[in-house]
Amino acid sequence: MARVRLSVAERREEMLRAAVGQIEERGVAAVRIADVASALGVSNALVLYHFSTKEKLVAAAFAYAAEGDLARLRALLGRRTSALRRLRAAVRWYAPTGQAKGWRLWIEGWAVALREPALREVTRDLDRRWKAAIAAVLAEGVAAGEFACADPAAAALRLTALLDGLAVQLTSYPGAVPRSRAQRWVDEALARELGLPREALTARGR
């Protein structure tokens, strides 16, 4: 059956989705241009035409995945509800005990970013934008009198550092930390940063 003719933008997005899938399955070090081409039923030359090197393809794939995660974060934080509800939803989604997918992908990305400047820029940008988004909603909640937080930027850093660290433990060492315990730690950390009792995170009307 003949393949549907795609625009350049559509073809690139198709390749990026395939690259993300191959990285999740094989790891950055093992994945090859040929793996992405084979997954799509196209030639190696076509993939190279769009990205020229494996390194550029990998960096672009991580940037594509990052934009997907940030879009989901913006949707959660943009809801028409209290800052507390939005923070709780975002933190629980992002936590390794929540519904966010792809932690293995990001752990791979962090490791490779130590040696690849282009990928390091992608992961650094994602980290910066995540913290900024969380800090902004923390500041909104303080301004609205919902909770107290003396330094939203520092609180955002501490929260994301905890979530990232738990992701490494739960993903790399299954069973090292029970998921229920990790979720409790996340809730306790969020409540502590907001100056609220943990029970306030689930109280009706909040």
Side-chain angles (χ1 to χ4, degrees):
M1 181 181 296
R3 287 178 58 83
V4 175
R5 187 174 183 83
L6 302 177
S7 69
V8 171
E10 290 169 334
R11 178 70 75 194
R12 282 179 61 89
E13 183 172 357
E14 179 186 61
M15 290 178 180
L16 292 173
R17 284 198 304 267
V20 169
Q22 290 298 310
I23 292 168
E24 289 178 330
E25 179 181 338
R26 302 169 186 272
V28 175
V31 75
R32 304 169 302 162
I33 289 288
D35 298 320
V36 176
S38 178
L40 294 174
V42 300
S43 67
N44 293 3
L46 183 60
V47 179
L48 288 168
Y49 171 79
H50 285 277
F51 296 100
S52 75
T53 67
K54 172 189 165 177
E55 289 73 23
K56 289 182 179 179
L57 173 61
V58 166
F62 273 95
Y64 177 79
E67 289 302 327
D69 285 351
L70 287 164
R72 176 60 175 159
L73 176 65
R74 286 192 294 268
L76 289 170
L77 295 182
R79 291 175 175 175
R80 300 174 68 86
T81 186
S82 69
L84 177 58
R85 283 181 179 273
R86 286 179 283 151
L87 283 168
R88 184 180 62 199
V91 168
R92 288 184 175 177
W93 168 73
Y94 182 79
T97 57
Q99 298 176 7
K101 305 299 182 185
W103 272 112
R104 187 175 298 277
L105 175 74
W106 288 110
I107 292 171
E108 284 269 355
W110 293 334
V112 176
L114 293 172
R115 301 177 298 278
E116 293 288 345
L119 187 51
R120 184 160 58 246
E121 286 304 310
V122 170
T123 57
R124 178 184 293 159
D125 183 58
L126 173 64
D127 184 69
R128 178 187 59 78
R129 292 163 70 184
W130 246 96
K131 288 179 173 63
I134 295 295
V137 180
L138 283 166
E140 286 181 36
V142 171
E146 293 184 37
F147 46 74
C149 180
D151 189 341
L157 191 155
R158 287 189 293 268
L159 285 169
T160 54
L162 172 64
L163 296 172
D164 291 345
L166 285 174
V168 172
Q169 289 293 313
L170 271 69
T171 304
S172 302
Y173 312 113
V177 180
R179 297 178 73 84
S180 58
R181 183 182 302 168
Q183 183 63 70
R184 185 175 72 251
W185 288 347
V186 170
D187 286 348
E188 289 171 351
L190 178 58
R192 186 165 55 248
E193 295 291 354
L194 304 181
L196 297 173
R198 181 186 168 203
E199 294 72 22
L201 298 183
T202 55
R204 290 184 179 276
R206 282 189 174 272

